[in-house]
Each structure stands twice: as C-alpha cells, then as structure tokens.
Amino acid sequence: MAGFDGQSRHAYRPLGGWVEAPQDPQPELEGQASADVVIVGAGFAGLSTALELTARGAKVIVLEREFAGFGASGRNAGYLAGGQGLEYDLFLKRVGHEQAKQIVSFYDEGVDYVERKLAEYGIDCDYNASGIIRAGVHPSQEKKLRESMRMGVELGSPGEFLDDAAMRARGIPPAFLFGCYVPSGGTLDPGKYVMGLRRAALRAGVRIYENTAVVSWTEGDTVTVHTTRGSVRAPFLVLATNAYTPQLGLLRDKVIPLRVSAIETEPLSAAQLASLGWPRREGIVTAHWTMESHRLTARNTLVLTTKRLHYVYGRQTPNVPDEASYRELATGLHERFPMLGDIAIRACWSGYISFAYDALPVVGEAGAQRNILYTAGCSGHGVGTQSLMGLLLAERIRGSGHPLLSALHHKTPSTLPEPLQWCAVNSALGVANMLDDRVNRRARHAVIR
C-alpha cells in the first residue's frame, strides 16, 4: 500500500487496536489478601470465570499484570465463531468421532453463551450477528473448503456452501469466489466486550488488581500467590493466562505462543463502502493454510488479521511491532480490495495466541491437591471458547462439574525442547506460507488475465 511504510511506526499501537487504558484503573495489590478463588489474567476467560463464581456466592480476586483486556482479548479480530472450520485433521483421529462431536458442540455453545451474556450484562460491543463466511480466493481451494465444511456438518456444526452466484447475490466482494456460510455468530468489538466484562465484574463485587505481576505461587490445600508487592491466599487458583502461561512455569510442554498481527484502515467513505457491497458485513476468513481474516467494523474501517504467524524462540511474547507482517497484510488489503485504492492505514498491532499441536483447548488441573486450574490453547478461537470456559471452570470449582468440560479432557501432544521447537514450528509455518503464496500468485494471475 502506498505510504504504509512511512506510516507504520506512527500507526503501531502497543495496546492493540480495540482498547485504551481504563479511566478507572484498579489498584495494584499491596500486602496480604484472601479469597475463595484467585484468578490470574483479566481477559475473556478470567473475567468470565470471576463472574460465574461470584454469581455462585464465591469471593473472587483477579490479578492482572497490565489492565483488563491488554492481552489477546483486546487484540484479536473479534470473530464470535463456532465449530465450523476447525482443524479437524489435527484431532479427529486422536480423540475419536464421538468426542470430536462433543468438542465441536463446545465451540458452538460458546457462541450461544456469549450472546446470552451480552444481554445479561448489558454489554454493547457492536455485535453483528451476521454469521461468518470461510471463503476461497482461487478455485484450487474449493476441494479443501468443501471437505472441511462436510466434516464440520458431520460433527454437528451447520454450514452451507455458497457458489460464485450465491456469493455475488449476497454482495460479497469479488475477490472471494465461493465459501462456506456459517449462520451462527458474527463479529464484535473485542475491546468493548472485554471492558464490558470488566465493568460487570466490578459491579458484581469482584476485586480486580491491575498492574499486578504474579511472581510465583506456593501449592497446598490453600494456594498462596505471590505478587511484586503482596500475596493472595485461596483454596483455588485459576490461571487464565493463555499464551503467557508457559512463562509462569506451567504448560511449557503443551502450548506455544504464536504472534498474530493486524492492520486497520482509516474509515471508509460512503463511496468506498458502496464500492465494496457487502451489505450484511459478514466476517470473512479464508481457506489458506494460515488464514486471512477480513471484516468491517462499526466505525466503517476494515480490519485484516493473521496472514503470517511467528513463533519467538523460548516461548517469549515480546510486545513489539512486526513490520514484515504489517506489509504482508497491506499487500493483502490491496489485492482483496483493489476498489479502495491507496487507502491509508490508521493502526497496526500484534498479539499472541496459544496453540497446542492438536489445535484444541488445553484445560485441566495441576498441583498435588488438584486445586490449580488452567485454560489455554485458544488457537485463535478465544472469543467464544474462553468466555464459555468461565462457566465450566466455575462449575468445576463449586463441585458440580459440566459435561462439556469432561468432553475437552484428552491427552494434549507434547511440544519439543528448544532449539528443536523453534526449528520445527518455523519450518512448518514457512511451508504454510509457501503454499499460501502460491495460491495468492495464482489468484493474482487469474485477475490479470
């Protein structure tokens, strides 16, 4: 995109594109405190767990290193998506067909759960219940897309194939040739959603301590969590830290953090919006090996995410710009939406998802007393799954259990030690990039002809 390189440093947002630091920052924890449950991480999972536990009468403390929504919850693309389009090949043979159906049901239930909670907590996050389209940009992607949709339907998640005529009838931009339409879910503003959860938690009496880094914890019948300037004692500890969990000393052999990047355009003019079509504003993800995502926001900007994934040696998560990814995304913006010309980029940012080798959630218990609970492995599907996880963890802590939590229990494949991990992950990502680049070249040449 013309002018992007000159703008990129100015456009980079270390907080992500959806949130600002809250005007009512909660105090850092100082001294000693106690609760029924202490939760580390104030994103979708941590805040949802706190709300569900408080509704069941528990006294809850949430510890957050920065502020609520600073991590992946405030940086993602804002897709509320269900079970269609999962990486079925990575887990179906491992868990079997019946458990796979339950796992897909978990993803679909995540959509319904968030929709209920938006109404219950009165959260206005610009939710557009338009459904989602997983699209192809070249005919070579059709077989893979159809097979994925077929498998999703077989496992219980609805989808409808849209051919070129159906896509044009819906007004989808012409770069997207065909697609699988998923009627449930849609897009939202993840920053407004996570801040809405934060407000609801504070109203409910949850004590949130921001700017509070966890240093360590001591196991026992009562867990003691040590922070920079204080400590919390509670019978249960919940680690809702997703990609940051390995840095706390847990799940280092189960999940890896992957850096995902995004760009957002300046607001589109009325003429530019008209040139796009796209009247329902469905969120669009592509059938690449590393998907692209494209969506319109309520502020009439375009947000593009993913395109390239990066793994940082040693499972680190530096909060730094990724100029190469922003340039790739800008190129994709021009190729998918040439009618917009050299539209300017208003913001670019990066963040981290956690990924297990089977692309499934990693949820379980640790410690001799089994009173340290964790949830990670969102694999880019965190809006619905990590929100619903709050209900599952709350019911587990209160002793009743939930069938969907049982459905998620499986043996997560082990990751590799460094430097093998760095070599293996980046080699796999390099192959995916090569395959996707080939598809994009073919799509580009088809347009030229």
Side-chain angles (χ1 to χ4, degrees):
M1 293 294 289
F4 177 75
D5 289 341
Q7 297 176 30
S8 58
R9 292 188 182 278
H10 176 70
Y12 172 66
R13 286 182 51 84
L15 302 184
W18 305 98
V19 296
E20 302 288 350
Q23 296 182 350
D24 61 337
Q26 298 303 293
E28 179 182 0
L29 175 67
E30 297 184 11
Q32 297 181 342
S34 63
D36 297 318
V37 183
V38 56
I39 299 170
V40 181
F44 299 145
L47 293 172
S48 294
T49 304
L51 282 161
E52 292 288 358
L53 285 167
T54 302
R56 290 160 174 76
K59 178 183 176 183
V60 181
I61 287 177
V62 177
L63 306 177
E64 167 57 47
R65 186 178 65 183
E66 302 288 345
F67 59 82
F70 178 85
S73 296
R75 297 169 188 262
N76 66 81
Y79 285 69
L80 179 57
Q84 266 291 353
L86 297 177
E87 301 297 336
Y88 308 116
D89 290 344
L90 294 181
F91 67 84
L92 183 56
K93 290 182 179 179
R94 291 182 59 86
V95 304
H97 193 271
E98 287 308 309
Q99 186 174 1
K101 286 180 67 175
Q102 294 177 300
I103 290 171
V104 169
S105 177
F106 162 75
Y107 281 84
D108 286 338
E109 174 57 28
V111 174
D112 296 337
Y113 178 84
V114 172
E115 290 178 339
R116 292 196 302 271
K117 294 304 174 179
L118 293 181
E120 179 180 339
Y121 302 141
I123 299 175
D124 180 2
C125 58
D126 303 322
Y127 178 48
N128 178 26
S130 60
I132 292 170
I133 295 177
R134 189 161 182 248
V137 301
H138 187 269
S140 61
Q141 294 177 307
E142 181 172 348
K143 181 179 179 181
K144 175 186 173 185
L145 184 60
R146 283 184 178 272
E147 176 60 22
S148 176
M149 186 191 75
R150 182 198 66 78
M151 183 59 66
V153 171
E154 183 178 312
L155 293 173
S157 191
E160 173 191 358
F161 187 81
L162 304 176
D163 60 14
D164 181 74
M167 293 283 274
R168 305 292 74 81
R170 294 185 74 92
I172 302 301
F176 307 104
L177 307 181
F178 48 83
C180 166
Y181 173 64
V182 183
S184 63
T187 59
L188 49 73
D189 183 320
K192 290 183 178 180
Y193 174 42
V194 72
M195 288 303 178
L197 292 175
R198 179 182 182 273
R199 287 192 300 273
L202 290 172
R203 285 197 307 264
V206 175
R207 283 188 287 168
I208 301 175
Y209 293 98
E210 296 177 315
N211 298 305
T212 300
V214 169
V215 176
S216 64
W217 61 81
T218 304
E219 296 182 15
D221 291 334
T222 298
V223 182
T224 302
V225 180
H226 307 280
T227 70
T228 306
R229 303 178 67 180
S231 64
V232 181
R233 291 171 53 83
F236 287 94
L237 164 62
V238 175
L239 296 174
T241 43
N242 208 29
Y244 306 100
T245 308
Q247 296 172 29
L248 293 174
L250 194 66
L251 304 183
R252 290 187 61 83
D253 63 339
K254 297 302 179 185
V255 298
I256 59 173
L258 294 176
R259 184 164 64 213
V260 178
S261 295
I263 61 172
E264 181 180 11
T265 69
E266 291 287 354
L268 276 60
S269 67
Q272 288 172 322
L273 285 169
S275 72
L276 282 179
W278 210 349
R280 299 177 180 85
R281 300 188 174 212
E282 302 96 332
I284 298 175
V285 298
T286 65
H288 291 85
W289 291 101
T290 301
M291 75 172 190
E292 304 170 6
S293 79
H294 309 266
R295 60 160 294 192
L296 283 165
T297 71
R299 52 189 179 239
N300 290 331
T301 62
L302 261 172
V303 172
L304 280 70
T305 64
T306 314
K307 192 78 169 177
R308 289 288 189 267
L309 298 172
H310 293 281
Y311 171 69
V312 181
Y313 188 91
R315 297 171 175 82
Q316 296 303 300
T317 55
N319 190 28
V320 296
D322 190 338
E323 299 287 343
S325 290
Y326 306 146
R327 286 193 293 271
E328 288 281 349
L329 287 164
T331 298
L333 172 63
H334 178 68
E335 291 184 351
R336 305 293 176 243
F337 307 99
M339 69 286 288
L340 298 181
D342 291 334
I343 188 168
I345 306 299
R346 70 175 289 182
C348 49
W349 64 90
S350 300
Y352 293 87
I353 63 171
S354 66
F355 181 81
Y357 278 0
D358 59 6
L360 289 179
V362 181
V363 56
E365 305 164 357
Q369 309 301 320
R370 314 305 292 173
N371 58 350
I372 300 171
L373 281 63
Y374 54 81
T375 175
C378 67
S379 300
H381 297 270
V383 177
T385 62
Q386 295 303 302
S387 298
L388 176 58
M389 201 65 75
L391 172 64
L392 307 191
L393 294 179
E395 294 197 352
R396 157 64 183 86
I397 288 170
R398 302 312 280 179
S400 58
H402 194 289
L404 286 179
L405 184 61
S406 299
L408 293 176
H409 286 158
H410 68 287
K411 186 177 181 180
T412 301
S414 295
T415 59
L416 300 170
E418 298 289 16
L420 295 178
Q421 178 76 17
W422 186 90
C423 294
V425 172
N426 284 300
S427 294
L429 293 175
V431 171
N433 292 340
M434 180 183 67
L435 295 173
D436 289 343
D437 287 344
R438 184 171 66 181
V439 169
N440 290 336
R441 284 195 301 273
R442 295 171 72 181
R444 197 179 304 127
H445 293 157
V447 170
I448 293 173
R449 288 198 300 270

